[in-house]
Amino acid sequence: MEHEKQQVIITIGREYGSGGHLIADMLGEKYGLPVYDSTIIEVIAKEKNLNLEKLKEYDEKPRNRLFTRSIDGYSNSPEDVIAYMEFDFLREKAKSGESFIVVGRCGSSILKGYRGVISIFVTGDMPEKIQRVATEFHVSNEDAEMMIQKNNKSRKLYHNFYCKEKWGDSRYYELTINTSKIGFDRAAKVIDCYIKERMGDDWAEHIAR
């Protein structure tokens, strides 16, 4: 079918402070594609009439093993419940033939069986990440570094729990890019060039319209 031929799903894993989300937004604007991130929770909360603020507490968080148990194969962990609802959401979008960009949320792993999936990982050097986080959140460099380490640990635990592929391991991504070397705009351009080469001239012409 035509939509299957043209479908592209860009998954972006990222280190905290690397600008991965910013690049996802750049690509989304360029291609006219939706970017799915924490907005998934907003959709789920609305559809299922659930408490949005409560769901946000467990979004993209690793389960707490001390307070988790399984009964008849079902987990009582809110982290698990949220994760699987998000995974189902993304699989339904992919199954429908929709093209989109997903930030984090194990996208590179849970969607890898779909045609047109392109997996990207965005990294950065610690000094640049510290500067960006400190500036954005108006905190000291020491606090910024602690925020980076805490969030990266959480993302790694989350991803590695639900996926066989290891978070940040370049062997499991098509392209890994360091924004500290070339900046966000040029990183987005490099990824754009790769996607167009990967998808072919027909797709590039179609998306440019």
Side-chain angles (χ1 to χ4, degrees):
M1 296 176 64
E2 182 64 21
H3 70 258
E4 293 177 337
K5 179 182 178 182
Q6 297 294 345
Q7 184 182 31
V8 61
I9 300 171
I10 304 166
T11 72
I12 298 183
R14 76 285 187 222
E15 291 180 347
Y16 193 78
S18 67
H21 201 296
L22 175 62
I23 289 172
D25 288 338
M26 290 178 180
L27 295 173
E29 183 176 356
K30 182 177 182 62
Y31 299 149
L33 297 180
V35 177
Y36 294 128
D37 45 28
S38 59
T39 55
I40 299 174
I41 286 296
E42 297 174 10
V43 175
I44 291 173
K46 185 175 181 180
E47 288 181 349
K48 299 182 180 295
N49 196 27
L50 300 174
N51 186 310
L52 176 59
E53 295 305 315
K54 196 67 176 177
L55 295 185
K56 285 182 177 179
E57 293 180 20
Y58 304 106
D59 178 32
E60 207 177 13
K61 295 293 191 299
R63 67 153 65 172
N64 189 327
R65 295 177 183 273
L66 295 178
F67 300 101
T68 300
R69 59 177 179 156
S70 295
I71 302 174
D72 295 331
Y74 294 94
S75 171
N76 71 337
S77 163
E79 294 89 351
D80 280 352
V81 173
I82 299 302
Y84 288 121
M85 283 197 297
E86 290 189 303
F87 298 162
D88 287 343
F89 174 92
L90 292 171
R91 289 188 182 107
E92 284 300 314
K93 292 294 182 182
K95 185 179 179 181
S96 74
E98 179 180 326
S99 292
F100 59 90
I101 299 170
V102 56
V103 180
R105 290 155 186 82
C106 300
S108 61
S109 180
I110 66 167
L111 298 175
K112 66 180 180 179
Y114 291 90
R115 185 177 181 181
V117 172
I118 300 174
S119 56
I120 312 290
F121 191 83
V122 181
T123 183
D125 297 336
M126 185 60 81
E128 285 75 19
K129 290 188 295 186
I130 288 174
Q131 184 179 30
R132 181 169 187 257
V133 172
T135 300
E136 182 173 349
F137 294 99
H138 306 288
V139 297
S140 67
N141 287 353
E142 291 76 14
D143 287 342
E145 184 171 5
M146 289 179 62
M147 289 172 64
I148 292 167
Q149 292 174 343
K150 178 181 178 181
N151 281 281
N152 281 343
K153 180 180 179 181
S154 178
R155 289 175 181 179
K156 182 177 182 178
L157 288 172
Y158 170 88
H159 183 98
N160 291 354
F161 179 81
Y162 294 109
C163 310
K164 293 180 179 180
E165 302 84 358
K166 300 303 180 184
W167 183 80
D169 189 327
S170 61
R171 292 174 296 177
Y172 302 120
Y173 302 89
E174 291 189 38
L175 181 66
T176 298
I177 192 161
N178 187 324
T179 55
S180 296
K181 307 305 182 186
I182 58 175
F184 306 132
D185 290 336
R186 290 183 178 178
K189 289 179 181 178
V190 170
I191 295 172
D192 174 45
C193 289
Y194 178 82
I195 292 171
K196 288 177 178 176
E197 289 293 329
R198 167 79 154 68
M199 296 301 294
D201 294 338
D202 290 343
W203 184 85
E205 291 176 4
H206 171 78
I207 205 69
R209 293 172 187 171

